[in-house]
Amino acid sequence: DTEVTQTPKHLVMGMTNKKSLKCEQHMGHRAMYWYKQKAKKPPELMFVYSYEKLSINESVPSRFSPECPNSSLLNLHLHALQPEDSALYLCASSQDITVPDGYGYTFGSGTRLTVV
Amino acid sequence: GQQVMQIPQYQHVQEGEDFTTYCNSSTTLSNIQWYKQRPGGHPVFLIQLVKSGEVKKQKRLTFQFGEAKKNSSLHITATQTTDVGTYFCAGNQNSNYQLIWGAGTKLIIKP
């Protein structure tokens, strides 16, 4: 299995809602990432988990809360989002965060989030 | 701050013409990766370059890493409609394992 699976593919939520994005990989990768991508922009790093521990938190607002229940799963909990948070949220994984292994990052197909 | 500049932002070509995108870093890169993102899709890893002056080929795609490990290019020969998308470079600077992304170059095939 060489895929990263993300659910849901699309999500519309109100500013008072609580929702979660889910990500799963079965490639044995030890690093998992959440990225945010706005239209016509490159992906912007939000969080990095290495061996199930939060390694990087790029000063993301607390309305975004990551969780790594095990080495294959990554969640992003959303609460009280703003319309400007509407974007494509991408999950990615790699074998390790430290070694350029020649295989790069494997991205999921993303969740297209709209906050109304 | 740390950044990777990528040009051009857009390139319009006739099918069959060549395409090139360039990335330039303000500091030395330990490696550079290239990704392709189709319209409405997600980034897909193409290749990683590590060595100074490295050149790698994938069919019609040629990737280069500069001698000083500060710049890189992707050249596509004889573009096809399947090449449409945005091409991103992304590099690691020194021992920092965070990827620094270029802004991307969108390849558009003229009808």
Side-chain angles (χ1 to χ4, degrees):
Chain A
D1 189 348
T2 57
E3 286 187 346
V4 174
T5 303
Q6 285 188 248
T7 56
K9 292 196 183 303
H10 300 274
L11 179 62
V12 179
M13 60 184 292
M15 290 187 282
T16 58
N17 291 161
K18 286 185 181 181
K19 297 287 184 182
S20 295
L21 309 184
K22 297 186 182 300
C23 175
E24 188 170 7
Q25 58 90 12
H26 293 289
M27 295 177 283
H29 286 176
R30 308 309 301 191
M32 295 186 76
Y33 312 80
W34 280 115
Y35 277 89
K36 173 183 178 181
Q37 188 178 29
K38 294 284 235 180
K40 302 181 182 180
K41 296 290 185 183
E44 180 183 339
L45 184 64
M46 300 176 72
F47 302 103
V48 180
Y49 275 84
S50 177
Y51 290 84
E52 302 166 47
K53 293 186 178 178
L54 185 61
S55 179
I56 298 174
N57 176 349
E58 287 291 306
S59 301
V60 177
S62 59
R63 57 186 183 268
F64 296 91
S65 174
E67 179 194 18
C68 189
N70 60 54
S71 61
S72 299
L73 294 174
L74 191 64
N75 298 322
L76 186 63
H77 303 297
L78 314 173
H79 173 54
L81 295 193
Q82 303 297 309
E84 59 265 28
D85 296 321
S86 298
L88 179 66
Y89 287 84
L90 293 160
C91 175
S93 69
S94 66
Q95 290 192 356
D96 195 285
I97 60 172
T98 59
V99 178
D101 57 17
Y103 297 99
Y105 290 11
T106 301
F107 282 86
S109 57
T111 295
R112 200 160 295 277
L113 174 67
T114 303
V115 182
V116 297
Chain B
Q2 300 172 337
Q3 55 183 339
V4 173
M5 304 299 293
Q6 187 173 359
I7 58 169
Q9 187 176 1
Y10 300 94
Q11 190 164 359
H12 294 77
V13 300
Q14 297 278 5
E15 188 174 3
E17 292 183 338
D18 293 355
F19 161 84
T20 306
T21 173
Y22 302 90
C23 284
N24 190 54
S25 171
S26 54
T27 60
T28 302
L29 299 170
S30 60
N31 70 91
I32 194 157
Q33 302 174 24
W34 285 92
Y35 291 82
K36 176 185 179 180
Q37 187 170 17
R38 294 179 184 270
H42 58 278
V44 174
F45 175 74
L46 295 176
I47 208 161
Q48 179 177 280
L49 305 172
V50 179
K51 298 176 183 177
S52 169
E54 190 169 15
V55 178
K56 287 188 176 180
K57 292 190 175 185
Q58 290 179 349
K59 298 182 180 178
R60 293 179 294 105
L61 278 62
T62 302
F63 304 83
Q64 294 187 337
F65 201 11
E67 293 291 339
K69 299 181 76 172
K70 287 187 174 183
N71 56 76
S72 182
S73 64
L74 159 59
H75 180 81
I76 303 177
T77 304
T79 54
Q80 300 174 359
T81 54
T82 53
D83 296 325
V84 163
T86 300
Y87 293 84
F88 292 100
C89 62
N92 293 104
Q93 295 179 328
N94 299 319
S95 58
N96 189 335
Y97 51 77
Q98 286 185 247
L99 273 183
I100 309 298
W101 291 74
T105 296
K106 188 172 184 177
L107 170 58
I108 300 163
I109 304 284
K110 298 176 189 176

